[in-house]
Amino acid sequence: MEIGIDSFASAMYGRNTLSSVDAMEQLLDRIAMADEAGLDVYGIGEHHKKEFLDSAPAVILAAAAARTKRIRLTSAVTVLSTSDPVRVYQSFATLDLISKGRAELVVGRGSAVDAYPLFGFDLQDYDALFREKLNLLLQIRDQEFVTWSGQFRPALQNQPVYPRSLQEKLPVWLGVGGTPESFARAGSLGLPLMVAIIGGETERFRPLVDLYREAGRRAGFAPEQLKVGLHSPGYVAATNEQAVADYYPGYAELWTKLGRERGWPPVTKAQFNNLIAPRGVLVVGGPEQVAEKLIRHSEALGGVDRFTFQMDNAGLTHQQLLQSITLIGSKVIPLLKA
């Protein structure tokens, strides 16, 4: 199982608001630390809100590529529905050249909808936009000269797209939430799947992962081509008790705030305890507990090829995040390998 981290480039840590310059510098320091610590992948999301700095993830990843040597660098996710697939491919092909073949893409429709009015798209076209643009992105990835036509973008007639990625096929993962059609789509295209699970119990996604694998099998893809990734909130500290003490206050504050915006009740400690229990989705604890939970999650889903922690939106300080990255590299990964 590959282990990594996804970040939304948050500018908020604890009770203090960092300047955007300081927040970005600290983020790049954490990516460099993840590379040194032996983590496999680091992802940057895409949002267009005041509290996040990740509206241009490829730029952040390119800066990280200049400071790292081994770690793979990916979006998490690229909101493809509101982007031009030509520019998306060009940006990540350029990143692939800068990083010497370490670039990847996770594409999705986006759980937040702020990009749609910003770029002039209609939410009623939510899925149609994604279907069309995914088709074009994959064609660009696979063919240097592209002939294509669709509803939402001018047609291309034998048009070359440059630069080409260093990797023969730039890896494109499909980021999904809980929609069966999305899982089936990924399988029918033979794309690796990145499942975002932020609440409840991980095992409830097993039927959807099975649907993905069955759709891939029917489309003629071998089991080893159908990779499954899992993205969940998490945090590692020296002990279970310290992890909860560090993580819970900021987690409760964040999700209570989101709840007020979306009509959810406030977070309680009892709910949090259920989420960090063995079957709950939050991967929070000391190294041993976290490793055990990742193995349990993998078994529950019939095998997980990649897990990424989302940990920098719970009010944790830069030092706490650096220490967590160090523990993941020095303790969690060796436990998983053992």
Side-chain angles (χ1 to χ4, degrees):
M1 186 192 305
E2 294 179 333
I3 301 295
I5 292 174
D6 289 335
S7 172
F8 296 162
S10 173
M12 302 292 291
Y13 298 105
R15 297 180 180 178
N16 299 315
T17 302
L18 296 177
S19 72
S20 297
V21 170
D22 290 341
M24 189 65 73
E25 182 179 10
Q26 290 184 2
L27 173 60
L28 293 172
D29 285 345
R30 292 196 295 276
I31 300 175
M33 174 62 78
D35 186 48
E36 294 173 11
L39 277 66
D40 298 291
V41 60
Y42 212 107
I44 301 294
E46 179 189 338
H47 298 82
H48 302 273
K49 297 180 178 180
K50 182 178 180 180
E51 61 265 37
F52 302 120
L53 301 173
D54 60 348
S55 63
V59 178
I60 299 174
L61 294 168
R67 296 185 53 180
T68 56
K69 296 180 180 179
R70 189 196 58 83
I71 197 167
R72 298 192 67 78
L73 301 166
T74 183
S75 59
V77 302
T78 293
V79 185
L80 188 59
S81 303
T82 60
S83 302
D84 182 349
V86 174
R87 295 298 286 163
V88 169
Y89 178 82
Q90 290 175 324
S91 295
F92 280 83
T94 302
L95 172 63
D96 203 45
L97 298 175
I98 294 170
S99 66
K100 297 181 173 61
R102 294 184 282 130
E104 299 187 2
L105 270 163
V106 180
V107 299
R109 297 177 297 184
S111 58
V113 298
D114 38 279
Y116 287 81
L118 182 63
F119 296 113
F121 291 99
D122 191 334
L123 267 174
Q124 293 184 344
D125 299 323
Y126 185 72
D127 192 61
L129 280 163
F130 183 73
R131 287 199 311 269
E132 178 175 299
K133 293 189 176 190
L134 178 62
N135 172 273
L136 176 54
L137 177 65
L138 295 177
Q139 189 171 337
I140 294 169
R141 180 192 68 169
D142 297 342
Q143 301 172 14
E144 182 176 344
F145 289 80
V146 179
T147 297
W148 176 92
S149 64
Q151 178 183 355
F152 301 104
R153 190 199 185 284
L156 298 170
Q157 183 62 42
N158 198 36
Q159 182 70 45
V161 179
Y162 301 117
R164 306 305 298 175
S165 63
L166 179 62
Q167 297 173 86
E168 183 177 356
K169 274 196 174 185
L170 186 68
V172 176
W173 296 62
L174 192 60
V176 299
T179 308
E181 292 79 8
S182 296
F183 285 79
R185 175 188 292 146
S188 65
L189 294 171
L191 295 177
L193 183 77
M194 179 56 72
V195 188
I197 306 179
I198 60 174
E201 296 182 349
T202 299
E203 63 188 37
R204 67 190 171 95
F205 280 78
R206 178 62 184 267
L208 294 171
V209 173
D210 288 344
L211 175 64
Y212 161 71
R213 291 182 171 126
E214 177 59 22
R217 185 194 65 79
R218 290 199 307 268
F221 295 101
E224 59 270 18
Q225 293 176 275
L226 302 172
K227 294 182 179 180
V228 175
L230 177 61
H231 158 106
S232 291
Y235 172 67
V236 184
T239 66
N240 297 335
E241 294 76 15
Q242 188 63 54
V244 171
D246 290 348
Y247 192 82
Y248 174 70
Y251 174 87
E253 180 180 350
L254 170 68
W255 286 96
T256 297
K257 177 184 175 184
L258 289 175
R260 285 196 298 268
E261 297 172 356
R262 304 184 186 187
W264 306 334
V267 172
T268 67
K269 189 62 180 296
Q271 291 171 332
F272 180 80
N273 288 339
N274 287 334
L275 290 171
I276 63 171
R279 295 171 64 182
V281 68
L282 295 184
V283 185
V284 175
E288 293 78 11
Q289 179 168 293
V290 165
E292 290 172 4
K293 194 160 194 177
L294 290 178
I295 293 168
R296 190 176 296 111
H297 280 348
S298 183
E299 292 171 346
L301 296 180
V304 169
D305 300 283
R306 174 179 290 181
F307 178 83
T308 54
F309 290 84
Q310 168 56 45
M311 67 171 69
D312 65 358
N313 287 332
L316 297 163
T317 67
H318 179 54
Q319 275 310 124
Q320 288 172 321
L321 293 169
L322 287 175
Q323 182 62 29
S324 188
I325 290 168
T326 300
L327 287 169
I328 292 169
S330 63
K331 301 289 186 182
V332 175
I333 291 175
L335 285 169
L336 290 172
K337 290 181 177 179

